[in-house]
Amino acid sequence: DGSTYYADTESIVVQPGPMTIVWQESIAHAGAPWRFSLSADGNDLESCVLLDHVPHNPDSSPSYSDESTWTLYNITVVIPDVDCEKC
């Protein structure tokens, strides 16, 4: 499907402009919204928050042992055109 899996990498190089992020939820985490940010130092002590409090699908009920039940999400964020030596 052309997707790239980044969970096992420390960082990725991104370019300014729109970027679609696709992920799956394998365990329901109601009340724990997602946050998307760019990290300046690799540990989120300095970050540029792109989106905060991205909600879950309240009707999802994924089962970790059954990938066919995992909830698929996607969202497009705009990567800002900034100069960051540590990014």
Side-chain angles (χ1 to χ4, degrees), residues 13-58:
V13 175
V14 296
Q15 299 297 321
M19 177 182 178
T20 299
I21 302 169
V22 179
W23 73 101
Q24 291 180 316
E25 182 177 34
S26 59
I27 299 172
H29 290 98
W34 286 284
R35 175 180 184 233
F36 297 97
S37 64
L38 300 176
S39 177
D41 60 4
N43 66 14
D44 288 343
L45 293 177
E46 296 181 37
S47 64
C48 170
V49 177
L50 303 174
L51 287 173
D52 204 2
H53 298 285
V54 177
H56 294 262
N57 176 350

